[in-house]
Amino acid sequence: MKSKLLLHVNKLCVSFRHEGSWVEAVRDVSFDVERGKTLGIVGESGSGKSVSSLAVMGLLPLRQTSVAADSIQLNGSKLSLFSDEQMRQIRGSKMAMIFQEPMTSLNPVLRCGFQVAEAIRTHQKVYKKEARKKVLDLFRKVKLPRPEQNYKAYPHQLSGGQKQRVMIAMALANEPDLLIADEPTTALDVTVQKEILLLLKDLQQQTGMGMIFISHDLAVIADIADKVAVMHKGQIVESGTVTEVLENPQHAYTRGLLACRPPLNIRLTRLPVVREFLENKWPGGISEMHSELAVRENDRSIAHQLLYRRKPLLKVENLQTWFPVHNVFFSRDKSYVKAVDNISFEVFPGETLGLVGESGCGKTTLGRSILRLQEPTQGVVSYKGVVINKMDKSTLRDFRKKLQIIFQDPYSSLNPRMAIGDAIMEPMKVHGLNGKYSQRMDKVYELLEQVGLEAEHYRRYPHEFSGGQRQRVCIARALAVNPELVICDEPVSALDVSVQAQVLNLLNRLKKEFGFTYIFISHDLSVVRYMSDRVLVMNNGKSEELAEADFLYENPQTEYTKKLIAAIPGRR
């Protein structure tokens, strides 16, 4: 009879060589994984959770890394005793890993089915035809739609959730005893995330494999793990069953991680940050923090009465943005993707209107259509009574000072060859703002300070910053032209929950200071609810419902909205 214990890690230490010296990334980390059970490892970026798992897999670069441990045992065998060739055989057959970003893990020039079949043929002596049959069976097992077509598809032809299913199929191809899932749902819709979590749990029950699930979000860990280890600065600061850790957290860092995600049962004036818990700002814990930061219902009601007495700032009337798919020979008929299909709403000065829905629902296209970054097919968009659709290019270019956008991925929206100070100054030059170069430079320093960065960051490049810092740079660049309305397109979807809280607080603080109006786009209803006065739910290009944020959350009117709310991680 096999032992329940599958993986045993004792006093793991990992250091990296940096500029001639060694930097410790993981120190004295110990944990166990049992068969059929899931260990959740949670912490912020840089906490050491992924490095620990890569060390177990033997995937860290040998020349730049020092890995030491009293013992790492899989199925009772010490991994340190195996040769490189034996470890290659163990990886994929006995233990496998699902990485965070499937697009960078899959080869873009090879078909998805071929890549999974290659993993099978590497470890099993089977012919191509049998490998193909196994791959199709796996695609059905992971509930990938249209297995035959997707076998031949390239990675870029699949959605994020579908690519992640291909990665899961590849990891399970040789029925490993241990599966390591490294942030497999971070940038996915909440509904797709829920499907992936349920899929992994279902596959675990079928195969009895042990699993390590890595995340920065304790709410996600609550939905899948049996035990949890919380990592901070390379060490495990707290561990136990999910119930023990989530319901009665002992370490200040754990309490901070739990508190910085927008709560589901109370509205706060701002989100707490981890640092405040580490500094013991609330000795009474999360309940004391909620008591201090809670928004009084009457205050919100009065604020909304004043807000909606004013004339709308932006009016969108029967907006359509359709994309032609193909022309049929000898026919006038066209097939269209109706990304935005007859949408109407108003945005009031000082309001934050939330746009929520799954990927592909049309919310980003709607935001781009309002700014005419994507030309609408039909409908009217007017700002303070001026119709944006009818503006010529010169007028529109000058008008865009008033309307700005913050994109989802800060790294791809910044020029990697341009210092961030120059990137922030660029829109000032385009619109002829802030006078001479020295005045513009002073303005850049002022903006850096306003978004929580330092003057010394001016000459640094995007790759030298964390994700949260890069997003602050993009916010500063949007502020450089003194806009009145800012469209925030998924600005925090790929950030740690702790960094996410900081960016959301920053956006709200800037809104108060400068009187901004926001359209806040996200697939995460808990974040949208926290940020928004009203929420517009989109589905397949159409409006599902529009209501005050708290009312919509408590009283969803459509089945689609109910599904989105039910998919929020950690919801019971």
Side-chain angles (χ1 to χ4, degrees), residues 36 141 172 175-177 200 202-210:
K141 199 173 187 178
L172 298 177
E175 299 180 357
D177 297 325
L200 288 172
D202 183 48
L203 293 171
Q204 185 179 45
Q205 288 179 353
Q206 292 177 32
T207 63
M209 66 183 176

Side-chain angles (χ1 to χ4, degrees), residues 102-165:
M103 195 62 206
T104 58
S105 304
L106 293 168
N107 191 323
V109 299
L110 296 178
R111 298 181 191 274
C112 293
F114 174 84
Q115 295 187 59
V116 181
E118 185 180 39
I120 291 172
R121 296 190 70 199
T122 299
H123 295 280
Q124 300 177 36
K125 294 181 180 179
V126 296
Y127 292 107
K128 286 184 180 180
K129 190 174 181 180
E130 188 178 348
R132 184 178 188 278
K133 181 178 179 299
K134 285 177 177 283
V135 172
L136 292 174
D137 288 342
L138 279 166
F139 280 179
R140 294 184 190 98
K141 199 173 187 178
V142 300
K143 300 176 184 176
L144 185 71
R146 305 179 304 281
E148 294 278 356
Q149 293 95 314
N150 285 329
Y151 185 97
K152 300 175 183 176
Y154 291 96
H156 72 272
Q157 295 175 302
L158 304 185
S159 70
Q162 289 172 343
K163 285 195 283 278
Q164 200 58 281
R165 289 170 193 270

Side-chain angles (χ1 to χ4, degrees), residues 345-396:
F345 62 90
E346 298 174 334
V347 184
F348 292 81
E351 179 182 24
T352 297
L353 177 72
L355 276 182
V356 70
E358 297 171 282
S359 292
C361 72
K363 55 190 187 294
T364 293
T365 303
L366 174 57
R368 293 174 62 86
S369 299
I370 290 169
L371 296 174
R372 279 183 63 187
L373 296 174
Q374 174 66 52
E375 288 291 343
T377 308
Q378 198 171 307
V380 177
V381 180
S382 55
Y383 186 84
K384 291 183 176 179
V386 180
V387 178
I388 299 175
N389 310 54
K390 295 182 179 179
M391 290 180 180
D392 58 42
K393 288 185 178 180
S394 176
T395 307
L396 178 64

Side-chain angles (χ1 to χ4, degrees), residues 132-279:
R132 184 178 188 278
K133 181 178 179 299
K134 285 177 177 283
V135 172
L136 292 174
D137 288 342
L138 279 166
F139 280 179
R140 294 184 190 98
K141 199 173 187 178
V142 300
K143 300 176 184 176
L144 185 71
R146 305 179 304 281
E148 294 278 356
Q149 293 95 314
N150 285 329
Y151 185 97
K152 300 175 183 176
Y154 291 96
H156 72 272
Q157 295 175 302
L158 304 185
S159 70
Q162 289 172 343
K163 285 195 283 278
Q164 200 58 281
R165 289 170 193 270
V166 172
M167 286 300 301
I168 293 171
M170 189 183 297
L172 298 177
N174 297 293
E175 299 180 357
D177 297 325
L178 174 68
L179 177 66
I180 300 175
D182 186 5
E183 304 254 21
T185 62
T186 294
L188 300 180
D189 293 340
V190 285
T191 48
V192 177
Q193 174 176 266
K194 187 174 183 179
E195 290 174 6
I196 295 293
L197 295 180
L198 290 173
L199 171 64
L200 288 172
K201 288 170 79 171
D202 183 48
L203 293 171
Q204 185 179 45
Q205 288 179 353
Q206 292 177 32
T207 63
M209 66 183 176
M211 185 158 59
I212 296 175
F213 192 96
I214 299 169
S215 179
H216 60 251
D217 192 344
L218 274 165
V220 172
I221 292 293
D223 284 349
I224 194 166
D226 301 291
K227 292 183 177 180
V228 59
V230 181
M231 289 193 70
H232 179 51
K233 293 184 177 180
Q235 292 182 295
I236 292 178
V237 296
E238 184 167 359
S239 61
T241 66
V242 166
T243 303
E244 289 170 350
V245 173
L246 298 191
E247 293 186 2
N248 188 27
Q250 299 300 305
H251 197 278
Y253 180 73
T254 310
R255 291 197 291 270
L257 279 183
L258 281 168
C260 63
R261 185 172 174 82
L264 306 178
N265 58 347
I266 190 172
R267 178 172 285 279
L268 303 179
T269 54
R270 68 172 178 85
L271 294 174
V273 295
V274 171
R275 173 180 48 78
E276 292 173 316
F277 281 86
L278 292 174
E279 293 172 355

Side-chain angles (χ1 to χ4, degrees), residues 227-341:
K227 292 183 177 180
V228 59
V230 181
M231 289 193 70
H232 179 51
K233 293 184 177 180
Q235 292 182 295
I236 292 178
V237 296
E238 184 167 359
S239 61
T241 66
V242 166
T243 303
E244 289 170 350
V245 173
L246 298 191
E247 293 186 2
N248 188 27
Q250 299 300 305
H251 197 278
Y253 180 73
T254 310
R255 291 197 291 270
L257 279 183
L258 281 168
C260 63
R261 185 172 174 82
L264 306 178
N265 58 347
I266 190 172
R267 178 172 285 279
L268 303 179
T269 54
R270 68 172 178 85
L271 294 174
V273 295
V274 171
R275 173 180 48 78
E276 292 173 316
F277 281 86
L278 292 174
E279 293 172 355
N280 200 30
K281 182 170 182 177
W282 294 287
I286 294 174
S287 58
E288 182 185 346
M289 179 273 294
H290 280 178
S291 178
E292 181 180 323
L293 299 181
V295 173
R296 288 184 296 183
E297 191 173 329
N298 190 50
D299 290 348
R300 182 171 169 84
S301 177
I302 292 171
H304 279 179
Q305 288 174 25
L306 295 172
L307 184 67
Y308 296 118
R309 281 179 190 167
R310 306 170 73 179
K311 289 184 178 180
L313 184 70
L314 180 79
K315 291 185 76 171
V316 176
E317 301 171 85
N318 306 115
L319 191 66
Q320 295 180 355
T321 305
W322 294 5
F323 299 100
V325 177
H326 62 271
N327 290 315
V328 180
F329 289 115
F330 309 112
S331 171
R332 294 181 180 179
D333 295 334
K334 284 185 178 180
S335 179
Y336 290 93
V337 172
K338 299 178 180 180
V340 177
D341 194 12

